[in-house]
């Protein structure tokens, strides 16, 4: 209710709902509906982080509910809807932080260590003295060893198109970073700083992950939110970015770009 809300007072509509963690035991809520709710939570927070730049830092089960709808709609054929309560603790992101979060999600989905490091810089989490070669090598190693992973089969079913990238540049940098081509966690942790906003982002993601896995054991935020990146960017910008990434990857494969 914008007309009676202010910076100090937020007036919201009360929507009767079932506590979200009880959905697993409710006969009205099928597995498909639970998966839809988990994905709705990821989609909501992607928009909160990257479009609204304002989010509730406390998405625990007591602040989330399920509304059962009497009929389906074209936009929601699942007869359930996610309900959010209590924005008592919230955080606002800067434009560069929001853009960086979106770019790091894309970079992780595409297993692109170069773009991942660029996104870290955009987010403002790298210190001025950060050794970008070591950071990039560590990210690449995490991709290759599975420490950072996404559920690609799940994304393919949703129609997400991956941008495959030549790893020659990152591999060379990784080899140059240390004698054995590996960079230890302790070598790069000192290159990172954590602005207060990201502490709240991490808190929200941790609580969201717990709720998401209760609904869908296969849930993870990045895999569930990635199909909705096009909503954030807009179709035109998204297609332009995908074309640019494809051209860049093709140039690297044929040796026109290192």
């Amino acid at each position: 209710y914008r007309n009676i809300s202010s910076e100090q007072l937020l007036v919201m509509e009360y929507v009767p709902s079932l506590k979200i963690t009880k959905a697993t035991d409710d006969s009205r809520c099928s597995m498909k509906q639970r998966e839809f709710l988990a994905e709705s939570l990821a989609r909501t927070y992607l928009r909160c982080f990257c479009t609204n730049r304002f989010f509730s830092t406390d998405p625990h089960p007591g602040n989330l509910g399920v509304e059962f709808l009497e009929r389906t709609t074209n936009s929601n054929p699942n007869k359930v809807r996610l309900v959010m309560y209590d924005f008592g603790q919230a955080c606002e992101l800067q434009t560069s932080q929001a853009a960086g979060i979106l770019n790091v999600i894309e970079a992780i989905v595409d297993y692109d260590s170069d773009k991942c490091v660029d996104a870290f810089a955009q987010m403002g989490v790298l210190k001025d003295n950060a050794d970008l070669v070591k950071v990039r090598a560590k990210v690449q190693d995490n991709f290759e060893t599975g420490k950072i992973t996404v559920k690609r089969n799940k994304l393919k079913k949703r129609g997400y198109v991956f941008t495959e990238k030549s790893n020659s540049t990152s591999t060379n940098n990784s080899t140059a970073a240390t004698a054995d081509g590996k960079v230890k966690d302790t070598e790069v942790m000192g290159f990172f700083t954590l602005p207060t906003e990201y502490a709240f982002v991490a808190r929200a993601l941790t609580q969201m992950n717990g709720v998401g896995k209760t609904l869908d054991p296969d849930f993870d935020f990045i895999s569930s939110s990635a199909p909705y990146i096009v909503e954030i960017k807009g179709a035109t910008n998204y297609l332009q970015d995908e074309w640019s990434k494809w051209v860049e990857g093709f140039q690297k494969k044929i040796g026109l770009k290192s």
Side-chain angles (χ1 to χ4, degrees):
Y1 294 89
R2 293 177 180 272
N3 59 324
I4 53 177
S5 295
S6 67
E7 291 186 4
Q8 289 76 36
L9 179 66
L10 178 62
V11 182
M12 303 172 66
E13 177 187 6
Y14 174 72
V15 179
S17 67
L18 176 73
K19 186 176 180 179
I20 196 162
T21 49
K22 292 184 178 180
T24 56
D25 299 321
D26 195 293
S27 60
R28 294 173 295 174
C29 203
S30 66
M31 188 63 219
K32 180 179 179 182
Q33 289 171 318
R34 296 199 295 271
E35 290 174 351
F36 172 77
L37 288 167
E39 190 168 288
S40 294
L41 185 59
R43 181 185 184 185
T44 296
Y45 266 84
L46 180 69
R47 292 186 65 86
C48 287
F49 290 151
C50 302
T51 300
N52 306 114
R53 296 187 292 110
F54 181 84
F55 63 97
S56 169
T57 65
D58 210 16
H60 62 73
N63 287 340
L64 299 169
V66 183
E67 181 185 12
F68 292 93
L69 307 176
E70 293 183 1
R71 59 181 182 276
T72 62
T73 63
N74 291 335
S75 60
N76 182 1
N78 292 285
K79 297 187 75 174
V80 290
R81 183 163 59 181
L82 179 69
V83 179
M84 301 182 70
Y85 299 111
D86 188 8
F87 275 70
Q89 188 177 65
C91 179
E92 187 173 6
L93 297 171
Q94 299 174 19
T95 302
S96 59
Q97 292 174 324
I101 290 173
L102 184 65
N103 288 334
V104 82
I105 291 172
E106 276 198 288
I108 290 173
V109 170
D110 291 332
Y111 292 161
D112 189 328
S113 55
D114 294 322
K115 294 291 177 61
C116 205
V117 174
D118 290 342
F120 288 156
Q122 187 177 23
M123 291 170 69
V125 298
L126 291 175
K127 294 181 179 178
D128 293 338
N129 66 340
D131 186 329
L132 299 185
V133 172
K134 285 189 174 182
V135 173
R136 185 177 295 107
K138 185 59 189 173
V139 172
Q140 183 63 36
D141 181 64
N142 286 345
F143 287 150
E144 293 173 356
T145 59
K147 289 183 179 179
I148 300 177
T149 185
V150 293
K151 295 177 173 62
R152 287 197 152 198
N153 289 335
K154 187 174 183 178
L155 284 169
K156 285 178 181 178
K157 289 180 181 178
R158 293 300 312 277
Y160 187 91
V161 179
F162 298 95
T163 303
E164 299 298 340
K165 173 183 176 294
S166 169
N167 290 328
S168 58
T169 304
S170 296
T171 302
N172 291 337
N173 284 336
S174 177
T175 304
T178 59
D180 61 0
K182 298 292 183 180
V183 178
K184 297 178 180 178
D185 291 344
T186 53
E187 293 182 70
V188 298
M189 291 307 296
F191 299 142
F192 286 85
T193 183
L194 187 68
T196 304
E197 293 89 344
Y198 294 124
F200 288 119
V201 169
R203 172 191 170 97
L205 289 175
T206 299
Q207 295 200 9
M208 182 200 317
N209 190 60
V211 174
K213 286 189 178 299
T214 298
L215 296 166
D216 174 11
D218 204 33
F219 174 85
D220 76 80
F221 172 70
I222 290 178
S223 300
S224 297
S225 63
Y228 300 102
I229 290 174
V230 63
E231 289 184 355
I232 307 300
K233 287 188 167 184
T236 300
N237 290 336
Y238 179 79
L239 291 172
Q240 287 175 344
D241 287 348
E242 291 303 301
W243 171 250
S244 297
K245 287 193 290 185
W246 184 88
V247 170
E248 182 180 350
F250 180 74
Q251 289 175 331
K252 287 182 179 180
K253 284 182 179 180
I254 63 175
L256 292 178
K257 189 173 183 179
S258 61

